[in-house]
């Protein structure tokens, strides 16, 4: 490895300060409820507990865990408390080898088996199967296995949106959307300190904890986080193009480092979004799920996010036929109106902008243009046919 490569690698890492280590320790020690469906009891687990239990069980089964990392918004919160984003999910990454389907199954079985340890005292465990635990406590189960990416995700349910997400990664080509969410914090030294030290941590006696920015430059990414700057590269590599996260950041007060560059990137974001979600039904499900999961406690921001998305799609979509573009814009407008209705915040008529396309029958002399409109979701089934409607992007 050349000296230049070594220098580039060094810029990715940084040692956490005492204040940052304290915030990390607090997050790992905070009890998080995992809510069960139906009559299943709520599990109470601390992130450091689930990490230690899962790691130990994997190693008992012959799976080597290279490291465990805190990722995403929680890692950003540790590094800079006043991010403007807060943190919701607890994303924990286990570095493991996933050579074949058997390895994927083993990881899933180990996690589900570990959930038994967190059941309240007095609960009979004999008849509880892995399938039962999955149905009761797992919100999302993802497996990705292709030439560039080999990883799986097990998301444990929390009714307030603060899910514990266990991600098992062999390889992952793209590990971030924007620089402000590119941070990963290695937990190994802190967890080892927990097991081996009888002396409590202090400013003069605490483990060395390393943070990394997979964006590539830790100092630059930290500046973006502190200054609330939006920066990324190659958004066409991100599933969904990072489009929804981009609008989310704008609503939270983040601003692009370069307006001109970001306008160009918006086109790539929109193009990738519509490649991954070409059908109007898929788009609706994705938007509804994003609003549900990312605005807990900030429901009043959903309308602003949708209006921001409407503007970006309207300005930057170049890869859709006209009717598909109008269809998506109508969907966003409908969801925005629904959000206002849910908040009992329908504005006065003078402040409402309606997007519509006149129907052919309005030219009929017997047609009355006075009617009462009933707002309802679009009929997804009528739009599920696939068409060859893609045009090349210029």
């Amino acid at each position: 490895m050349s000296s230049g490569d070594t220098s580039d690698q060094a810029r990715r890492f940084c040692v956490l300060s005492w204040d940052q280590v304290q915030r990390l320790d607090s997050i790992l020690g905070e009890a998080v409820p995992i809510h069960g469906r139906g009559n299943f009891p709520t599990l109470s687990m601390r992130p450091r507990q689930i990490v230690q239990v899962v790691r130990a069980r994997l190693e008992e089964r012959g799976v080597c865990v290279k490291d465990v990392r805190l990722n995403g918004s929680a890692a950003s919160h540790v590094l800079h408390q006043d991010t403007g984003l807060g943190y919701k999910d607890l994303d924990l990454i286990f570095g493991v080898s996933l050579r074949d389907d058997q390895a994927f199954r083993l990881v899933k079985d180990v996690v589900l088996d570990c959930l038994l340890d967190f059941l309240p005292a007095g609960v009979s465990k004999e008849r509880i199967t892995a399938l039962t635990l999955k149905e009761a406590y797992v919100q999302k189960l993802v497996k990705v296995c292709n030439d560039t990416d080999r990883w799986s995700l097990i998301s444990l349910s929390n009714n307030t949106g603060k899910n514990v997400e266990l991600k098992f990664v062999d390889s992952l080509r793209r590990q971030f959307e924007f620089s402000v969410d590119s941070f990963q914090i290695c937990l190994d030294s802190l967890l080892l300190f927990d097991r081996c030290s009888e002396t409590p941590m202090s400013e003069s006696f605490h483990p060395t904890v390393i943070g990394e920015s997979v964006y590539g430059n830790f100092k630059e990414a930290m500046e973006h986080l502190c200054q609330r700057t939006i920066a990324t590269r190659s958004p066409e590599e991100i599933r969904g193009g990072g489009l929804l996260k981009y609008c989310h950041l704008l609503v939270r007060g983040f601003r692009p480092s370069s307006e001109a560059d970001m306008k160009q990137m918006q086109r790539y974001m929109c193009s990738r979004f519509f490649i991954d979600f070409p059908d109007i039904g898929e788009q609706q499900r994705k938007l509804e799920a994003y609003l549900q999961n990312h605005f807990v406690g900030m429901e009043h921001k959903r309308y602003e996010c949708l209006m921001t998305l409407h503007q970006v799609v309207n300005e930057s979509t170049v890869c859709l036929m006209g009717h598909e573009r109008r269809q998506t814009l109508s969907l966003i407008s409908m969801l925005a109106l629904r959000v206002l209705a849910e908040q009992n915040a329908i504005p006065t008529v003078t402040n409402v902008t309606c997007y519509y396309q006149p129907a052919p029958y309005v030219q009929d002399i017997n047609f009355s243009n006075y009617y009462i409109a009933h707002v309802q979701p679009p009929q997804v089934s009528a739009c599920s046919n696939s068409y060859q409607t893609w045009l090349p992007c210029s």
Side-chain angles (χ1 to χ4, degrees), residues 192-246:
L192 181 62
F193 187 93
D194 287 345
R195 294 199 306 270
C196 300
S197 177
E198 297 180 358
T199 305
M201 285 197 307
S202 66
E203 185 171 2
S204 59
F205 183 69
H206 64 269
T208 299
V209 181
I210 303 296
E212 178 183 2
S213 169
V214 291
Y215 175 71
N217 187 314
F218 192 98
K219 181 179 178 181
E220 184 180 341
M222 272 298 293
E223 288 176 355
H224 294 164
L225 185 64
C226 296
Q227 297 170 11
R228 301 193 180 189
T229 299
I230 300 175
T232 189
R233 54 174 171 265
S234 305
E236 66 276 7
E237 295 177 356
I238 309 169
R239 176 164 173 79
L243 177 62
L244 301 185
K245 180 65 176 285
Y246 172 65

Side-chain angles (χ1 to χ4, degrees), residues 23 39 76 92 131 134 220 225 236 248 253 279-280 285 312 361 371 382:
R23 281 199 294 274
N39 295 325
S76 298
L92 298 163
L131 178 61
K134 180 173 78 70
E220 184 180 341
L225 185 64
E236 66 276 7
H248 189 180
D279 177 77
I280 192 69
R285 286 189 291 273
V312 172
Y361 50 76
Y371 65 100

Side-chain angles (χ1 to χ4, degrees), residues 250-267:
L250 288 173
V251 167
R252 292 293 189 97
F254 286 69
R255 290 295 174 260
S257 55
S258 167
E259 291 285 349
D261 291 346
M262 197 54 67
K263 288 293 183 183
Q264 178 68 19
M265 286 194 179
Q266 283 180 188
R267 298 175 68 184

Side-chain angles (χ1 to χ4, degrees), residues 345-381:
I346 297 292
T348 60
V349 173
T350 56
N351 292 330
V352 175
T353 301
C354 296
Y355 299 88
Y356 69 95
Q357 182 178 9
Y361 50 76
V362 298
Q363 298 179 3
D364 189 337
I365 60 173
N366 296 318
F367 171 72
S368 171
N369 63 0
Y370 180 81
Y371 65 100
I372 299 175
H374 299 280
V375 177
Q376 58 184 4
Q379 297 298 316
V380 174
S381 60

Side-chain angles (χ1 to χ4, degrees), residues 4 6 28 34 38 44 47 51 66 89 115 133 136 161 173 206 212 218 261 300 344 370:
T6 303
L28 296 180
I34 305 300
S44 178
V51 168
K66 290 174 283 191
D89 293 338
L115 295 182
L133 289 168
R173 182 179 60 174
H206 64 269
E212 178 183 2
F218 192 98
D261 291 346
H300 61 287
N344 293 319
Y370 180 81

Side-chain angles (χ1 to χ4, degrees), residues 16 19-29 48 70 74 78 185-187 190 209:
L16 270 62
D19 287 342
Q20 291 168 335
V21 172
Q22 284 181 299
R23 281 199 294 274
L24 176 62
D25 185 62
S26 176
I27 286 177
L28 296 180
R48 57 169 26 101
L70 181 68
V78 166
I185 299 173
C186 187
L187 304 179
L190 187 58
V209 181

Side-chain angles (χ1 to χ4, degrees), residues 14 32 53 87 98 102 142 163 180 187 192 223-224 238 255 293 317 348 369 386:
C14 184
V32 180
V53 171
Y87 74 94
L98 298 170
Q102 184 177 354
V142 179
N163 299 326
V180 295
L187 304 179
L192 181 62
E223 288 176 355
H224 294 164
I238 309 169
R255 290 295 174 260
N293 295 332
T317 299
T348 60
N369 63 0
S386 59

Side-chain angles (χ1 to χ4, degrees), residues 70-141:
L70 181 68
N71 183 51
S73 58
S76 298
H77 176 79
V78 166
L79 295 170
H80 181 59
Q81 193 168 13
D82 186 24
T83 63
L85 292 172
Y87 74 94
K88 184 178 62 68
D89 293 338
L90 283 166
D91 301 324
L92 298 163
I93 299 178
F94 294 75
V96 295
S97 174
L98 298 170
R99 299 182 303 275
D100 49 33
D101 285 342
Q102 184 177 354
F104 279 95
R105 285 195 298 272
L106 176 59
V107 164
K108 182 184 71 172
D109 291 344
V110 164
V111 172
L112 295 176
D113 183 60
C114 289
L115 295 182
L116 288 172
D117 292 4
F118 294 92
L119 286 170
V123 174
S124 177
K125 304 177 183 179
E126 286 75 13
R127 297 184 180 181
I128 300 179
T129 65
L131 178 61
T132 303
L133 289 168
K134 180 173 78 70
E135 294 299 324
Y137 295 108
V138 175
Q139 183 186 55
K140 184 166 54 176
L141 197 61

